[in-house]
Every structure is written in structure tokens, then in C-alpha cells.
Amino acid sequence: MILDTPPPAVRPAPRANEIAYVIRRGDTADQLSRNYLVEGRDWRALLRLARVQNPRRLPTGRQIRIPRNWLRYRIEPARLASYRGRVAITSEGRETSAVIGASIGEGMFISTAANSFATLILADQSRIVLPSQSRVRVRELRRILLTNAIDYRLEVTNGRLETKVQPLEGSSGRYRIETPVSMTAVRGTEFRVSFAAGTAITEVLSGHVLVTDADGQRRELALDPGIGAARDGEGAVRTEPLLPAPALEDPGAVKLDDIVEFRAAPTPGAARYRLVIASDAGFIDNNVEQISEDGHFSFADIPNGNQFARISAITSSGIEGFAQSYGFKRRLASLHASVDTADDGYRFRWWGSGSGARRYRFQLLGDTPGAPPIVDRVGLEQDSLTLHRLAPGVYHWRVGLLQIEADDTVETWTNPEKLTIAAPSRTRKADR
């Protein structure tokens, strides 16, 4: 259900640009200014904030609010933890290719091409995932020296960003995600932010977030878990509950075929579905993603091994709902078969892909798929078999595969195929 939300009441937040500090025993204005203030701000400014005159006697326990731009900080670059596909890192107009472990600092852009992914780990162990066709600018990755609080600011210029934020310690930490029309501030939560066609979307999976206009001070909107909000360039906001996570049909089936397929169970309210495949349960190392309107997904070139699939539903307004993850096993052992006529018989052929030793079994059955085998050949190494002098009638046939590699054994069969052999026509001799 979409709720057309009226513009929230204006709630100015001037203190967002201040740091609260409680004076400790032994603090002096000179010591604080030398260790924590930027050049151009000295102990006299602190005295005015503390409302005292003696620089050697600051009142223990008194709280003072110091403008953030007065305070020194250290920069804490992010780390490129994983990537797939084409990922570009741009710094000062110069583009470089992605390298695992690369340092991502302030002012840099990171962008992903189609069917590409990148995962960043921040210094506080918060995680950021950039899905396909996304571009993010790193604005600030700082730690305030006075309070040891983080001050992170990222901008989504296009596409999406998924993040899991570590809980912030103290009241002075900030974690902000901006778009050209919105700013999302959190204190420890899991959420997504996207920007496309002039609209910014925030989806809250856990915790609470605060969404404002791009300047961070107008039309403040608090979002609870399970709520998504869309904000356009004019400031209009609409919210709606997130759709529940869809289910996948038979998610535990071993994926043997050349094409890995999934199908989502229908979810009321869904206009389309998104499925992501990753090599890890935390979806840090994403391999591929796809969007489908009918919930059917087909992927090529999925490597062997234990993989993970994550499915979510998207409403017509573009707000994506909760996701559900499944583990599955990928073991390429495809098998295809056909039959052709041959001299005085029928030639059955089979082929497929997979590694390890491959042995085949051929069965010719009676007139129903469940009939006992008329022909049963096992341990075949070749890729064809010709049967001669088959009597007219209706048959079914299938080919089995036993694929062995190390300690892994896979057995699969083709679906039974029908073969009809017509009786030869009789030519009646002309009357003499």
C-alpha cells in the first residue's frame, strides 16, 4: 500500500554540525586546543564555548558543543574487499582498474558496469555493496580525534547502494548517504539507497533512519524498519511498507544444467523481482544479478561450488522489499540427447558439459515411460549407440549420466522421449 505522505514538519537540526564534549578532570583549554582544534582556532574560542575565563580551570562535567569544522580528524580510507566484472575507481579525474585491497579515499568515485559488483569495507567494519550500474562518490571518511567518533559521508550519483552499518558509539558519530535530492542518516542499521530519474529511494531493512532533503536540514522524515520512502527533486515524499521476501521454488535442487534457472513464487504487489547470486552467505562477493518481471531467472556461466541466491520483490513504484537467501549447489553435469535414423536402424546420440569421468547408460523402454527396459546398456564411454531391426511400435528412451570427480559423484537422466516406429506399408499387387 502506498501512502502519499504530506511534507513533514520542518525540524531544523543545527546541532548536527556540532560535537558534544563533556569536560574531564585535568582538561585545560590550551591542551584541548593544541591536540584537537584545527589551525586558526585556539584556547580562547574554547573558553567562550565553556563560558569560563580561567584557561587552567575548566569545570569538570560541563558539556560544551564544538563546531565540527573546528575539530581535527584523521582520514580512514575504505578497502575494496571484492569485485566482479568491470569496476572503475576514479581519483582526480584519473580512472584506474579495480584491485582487491585497493584503498578508497575521500574524493574518489567507484562505479560498476552492467552485471558488475563491488564491496567496500569501511574502517569501522561497516559494509557497502554497489550492485550493477551504480556510481558512488566518497565524500568523507573521517574519525574525529576529540571523541574518536566516525564521520562518514557517501553520495550515490546513480544506481544503488546497499549498506550494513555498525552501531555508532556515542552521540557524535555520523554516517550519511546522500543523493542529489536526499540525505539519509543512520546510527547503525541495514538499508538501501538508490537514485535514478531524479528520484531517491531509501529502504529500511533493520534499525531506524532519518531522511531529509539534500541539504540535510529540511523536511525531516524518520523511517522505521520495513518502510521504504521515495523522494523526488521537488521534495514530494511517498512511503510504503516493504514487500515480504518471496520464496524460491525448489531452491535446494542441485543445479546441473548449462543454464542455472530459478523461479520465484508469486508475491502479491510485486511488479518485478531481483535475484542475486553470490559465493558467500553475506553477499560480499556477488557474482551476478538479474531482474525479472515474471519471477523466472536464467543464468549462464555459473561456476561449480556452493553458491547463494538472494531473492526480493519490487513494487511498481520502484521500492524493493525484504530479501530471502538460499544456499544451493552448482555442479555442471549437463546432458542432452537426440535420435536420428541410420542404415537399418536408429542412432541415439548424447552430449553435455562437465568435468571428471563421465559414463553413460542407455535405456530403451516400452510404450510407457515407466515400462521395464527392453534395452539397458551401462558403463558406456562413447557418445552414441545404434540399435538395428527395431520392431514397429511405440517406445520410450532415455540416457543417464554418472559423473565422477574426486569425492563428488553426480547422477542424472534425460527425460524419457517417445519414439514411434511405423510398420512398413504393404503394396497390393495389381490383378492379372
Side-chain angles (χ1 to χ4, degrees), residues 4 27 29 38 41 43 67 71 73 76 78 106 113 127 151 175 216 228 244 267 292 296 308 369 374 376 388 431:
D4 291 323
D27 282 345
V38 299
R41 299 292 178 181
W43 57 271
L71 295 170
Y73 57 85
E76 297 185 331
E106 292 188 354
R127 183 184 73 203
D151 199 351
Y175 188 110
T267 299
S292 167
H296 179 251
F308 299 87
I374 299 171
D376 194 353
H388 299 280
D431 294 336

Side-chain angles (χ1 to χ4, degrees), residues 65-138:
R65 305 193 68 89
I66 307 173
R68 286 179 183 266
N69 59 8
W70 289 19
L71 295 170
R72 294 169 56 191
Y73 57 85
R74 68 172 180 270
I75 296 176
E76 297 185 331
R79 173 175 57 87
L80 182 61
S82 68
Y83 76 94
R84 292 294 176 105
R86 186 174 180 274
V87 175
I89 300 171
T90 305
S91 178
E92 297 180 347
R94 183 178 179 181
E95 182 177 309
T96 60
S97 299
V99 177
I100 296 295
S103 178
I104 310 296
E106 292 188 354
M108 290 185 176
F109 289 86
I110 182 165
S111 57
T112 57
N115 211 26
S116 302
F117 305 86
T119 299
L120 305 181
I121 302 296
L122 306 186
D124 73 336
Q125 300 306 303
S126 293
R127 183 184 73 203
I128 294 172
V129 176
L130 278 71
S132 300
Q133 297 178 316
S134 298
R135 182 175 172 85
V136 168
R137 181 178 184 181
V138 178

Side-chain angles (χ1 to χ4, degrees), residues 31 45 58 68 91 94 106 179 185 201 231 312 316 346 350 356:
Q31 170 257 327
L58 295 179
R68 286 179 183 266
S91 178
R94 183 178 179 181
E106 292 188 354
T179 73
I201 293 177
R231 180 187 295 268
S312 57
S316 58
Y346 292 86
W350 47 85

